Amino acid sequence: MNRQQEFVLRTLEERDIRFVRLWFTDIQGFLKSVAVVPAELEGAFEEGIGFDGSAIEGFSRIAESDTIARPDPSTFQILPFSDSPDGHLSARMFCDIAMPDGEPSWADPRQVLRRQMNNAGTQGFTCYIHPEIEFFLIKSLDTDGYPPVPTDWGGYFDQAVTDDAPAFRAHAISSLERMGISVEFSHHEAAPGQQEIDLRFADALSMADNIMTFRYLIKQVARQNGVSATFMPKPFTEHPGSAMHTHISLFEGDENAFHDPDDELRLSKTAKSFIAGILEHAPEISAVTNQWVNSYKRIASGAEAPRAAAWGASNRSAMVRLPMYTQNKAASRRIEVRSPDSACNPYLAYSVLLAAGLKGVKENYELPAPAEDDVSHMTRRERRAAGFKDLPSDLADALRHMERSELVADALGEHVFEYFLRNKWREWYDYQGQITPWELRHNLAF
């Protein structure tokens, strides 16, 4: 038993923790959990916890259903509030999923991201990520298909907002910090009820774990405040959707590989090729960074969301933005990818972003000219004349691009790639088959 495992067992005894929740994520990004008592945890560290993988979306077939969850002691944290009648706290650990022979499961999103991090490591890089996570607070999730009601009518950066959960952000940030998740900023976003909380940078795998924890905690804190939280990309027709703008940087040891003091924008050749890789492969990775039918309502609206694969310095209409706040500070040089939404599977989304960027670096992609105008107000013809690739306009378009992509197939692995496509095509066909209120209002009289 290693020191981390010993620390976990000692802490459970000292803090009188009654249950440990072992977390993992399915291919769509839904959090899964199995609870064990502390007495079982030593055995779980040695042998893992066996479960029926065929019961989890995309994990395994019924004929090969035996699957093992191996707790990762480095992710141990005590949950900040109790959900048991006696008031005792629980703890959580993320798990790596393995097969009975001990080999990593190809269906485990955590393993998918770890492979890309190892790929970055072979090129000499460590990837750091800092997301800006947007979401809505609404009065209830039970709307029977009608539009939800936001908890306030505030706007961007509003300080005093009369709402149903005035202390929500303070409670949320306190809960995140108690879980070891550092918060940089928080504020009211542009739409009524919309919030943004920005997490301090971490390596890609730790950040994906943090985002899954974030979504769990935000929903719990909202419930404690008598409201609900939703990470649905675009729940309101008339308001902007919720993004997960993601800041990315590559480091070589202690040096920021994206910084060049001699470049006009302080942007290195590595950074330029990384951006070029993301832009070149943007259409084929969109189904992963924006995985729901509803995701494309946000993108198609153009409101605070990129419509085309373009980049620009300080240009918030571009898919990839170069923040200029601290351009002379080497450690802070980074890029901001604005296409992902808050409902993606972070393990898979960061895998394909990293794969696209690293391919650009490895093959020395040339960075095209930046966008200097508001891309969202350009016509399709103007975007094409400027050399910008349009992002997919709906999920079906995104899936067609993904089906043809060797890069995404390699990044996700054959199992996840094939399952993801099957699952998402089924979602699209289910969506296509419905008769919407819009159609009935406009066509029923014929």
Side-chain angles (χ1 to χ4, degrees):
M1 182 170 295
N2 62 40
R3 290 182 178 179
Q4 286 181 326
Q5 294 169 340
E6 291 173 352
F7 169 78
V8 170
L9 296 176
R10 185 171 63 251
T11 302
L12 293 176
E13 183 176 358
E14 292 173 352
R15 298 291 299 273
D16 193 23
I17 302 297
R18 303 292 179 87
F19 292 100
V20 180
R21 303 187 182 281
L22 305 182
W23 285 0
F24 58 97
T25 305
D26 72 9
I27 290 175
Q28 295 187 85
F30 288 105
L31 186 65
K32 303 294 181 179
S33 175
V34 57
V36 299
V37 296
E40 299 297 321
L41 199 56
E42 187 171 349
F45 281 141
E46 292 178 1
E47 300 177 0
I49 298 289
F51 67 97
D52 179 5
S54 67
I56 304 297
E57 285 283 347
F59 265 36
S60 57
R61 295 173 295 187
I62 193 71
E64 50 189 31
S65 59
D66 287 347
T67 312
I68 298 171
R70 295 190 175 279
D72 179 351
S74 70
T75 67
F76 173 81
Q77 287 286 349
I78 297 173
L79 294 168
F81 35 72
S82 173
D83 56 3
S84 81
D86 59 11
H88 280 88
L89 294 175
S90 300
R92 75 95 165 96
M93 274 185 288
F94 281 95
C95 294
D96 292 317
I97 307 303
M99 304 309 293
D101 62 2
E103 288 296 308
S105 168
W106 287 96
D108 181 8
R110 214 165 178 258
Q111 301 283 17
V112 171
L113 180 53
R114 186 176 280 117
R115 289 199 303 271
Q116 283 306 312
M117 292 175 66
N118 291 339
N119 183 28
T122 61
Q123 296 186 45
F125 300 121
T126 302
C127 178
Y128 291 100
I129 285 176
H130 144 56
E132 304 172 0
I133 310 175
E134 297 172 355
F135 56 95
F136 281 91
L137 291 181
I138 56 177
K139 293 193 175 184
S140 175
L141 295 173
D142 185 13
T143 69
D144 195 28
Y146 289 95
V149 179
T151 57
D152 66 70
W153 297 99
Y156 191 59
F157 265 49
D158 272 358
Q159 170 63 28
V161 176
T162 301
D163 60 19
D164 297 324
F168 168 81
R169 285 204 302 271
H171 291 168
I173 292 168
S174 175
S175 297
L176 290 164
E177 295 279 359
R178 287 167 63 187
M179 289 283 290
I181 299 174
S182 298
V183 173
E184 284 197 340
F185 308 106
S186 72
H187 59 85
H188 197 286
E189 252 298 330
Q194 192 176 34
Q195 316 293 321
E196 176 178 309
I197 298 179
D198 302 355
L199 304 185
R200 184 170 174 78
F201 73 89
D203 69 86
L205 183 59
S206 296
M207 185 54 70
D209 289 343
N210 287 347
I211 290 168
M212 295 304 301
T213 305
F214 178 98
R215 294 202 294 224
Y216 171 82
L217 287 178
I218 290 299
K219 287 179 176 289
Q220 295 298 319
V221 173
R223 190 175 295 117
Q224 291 175 0
N225 280 264
V227 297
S228 297
T230 177
F231 293 90
M232 182 179 180
K234 199 172 190 305
F236 298 99
T237 300
E238 67 274 26
H239 300 303
S242 290
M244 190 170 72
H245 300 155
T246 295
H247 297 247
I248 304 176
S249 58
L250 296 181
F251 273 68
E252 294 177 291
D254 295 329
E255 299 294 323
N256 188 344
F258 279 3
H259 184 260
D260 181 355
D262 299 322
D263 182 75
E264 180 183 4
L265 296 175
R266 308 297 187 267
L267 202 60
S268 71
K269 178 66 173 70
T270 295
K272 292 175 181 178
S273 293
F274 192 90
I275 296 171
I278 289 177
L279 298 181
E280 174 64 25
H281 299 286
E284 62 205 79
I285 67 175
S286 286
V288 181
T289 58
N290 307 86
Q291 67 164 330
W292 304 101
V293 164
N294 181 254
S295 298
Y296 296 86
K297 305 296 178 70
R298 168 182 165 257
I299 288 175
S301 73
E304 301 279 331
R307 287 180 169 178
W311 77 281
S314 297
N315 189 342
R316 282 181 163 79
S317 70
M319 177 186 166
V320 180
R321 187 178 81 93
L322 187 61
M324 301 299 287
Y325 306 118
T326 55
Q327 58 178 318
N328 292 318
K329 187 177 179 182
S332 297
R333 182 36 87 223
R334 62 193 187 276
I335 65 169
E336 176 189 351
V337 185
R338 296 175 62 82
S339 51
D341 60 48
S342 299
C344 68
N345 181 331
Y347 301 99
L348 302 186
Y350 290 160
S351 294
V352 296
L353 283 170
L354 192 52
L358 289 172
K359 185 170 184 180
V361 173
K362 187 175 183 180
E363 299 187 9
N364 294 311
Y365 284 16
E366 287 295 323
L367 185 63
E372 297 180 353
D373 299 320
D374 187 340
V375 181
S376 64
H377 287 161
M378 288 176 143
T379 65
R380 185 170 182 268
R381 182 179 296 176
E382 288 171 336
R383 293 194 298 269
R384 295 184 71 176
F388 305 148
K389 290 183 179 181
D390 274 349
L391 295 179
S393 58
D394 57 38
L395 182 60
D397 190 14
L399 292 173
R400 292 187 193 100
H401 282 287
M402 179 176 166
E403 283 179 326
R404 298 190 293 267
S405 175
E406 292 183 11
L407 178 133
V408 178
D410 289 343
L412 299 184
E414 181 182 358
H415 180 98
V416 173
F417 181 76
E418 293 295 338
Y419 173 80
F420 189 97
L421 285 169
R422 287 198 307 272
N423 179 277
K424 290 300 169 181
W425 274 121
R426 184 167 65 245
E427 177 185 336
W428 174 254
Y429 294 139
D430 287 347
Y431 171 74
Q432 248 192 339
Q434 70 174 328
I435 307 302
T436 66
W438 188 96
E439 292 168 277
L440 293 173
R441 283 197 303 268
H442 288 81
N443 302 141
L444 191 60
F446 279 93

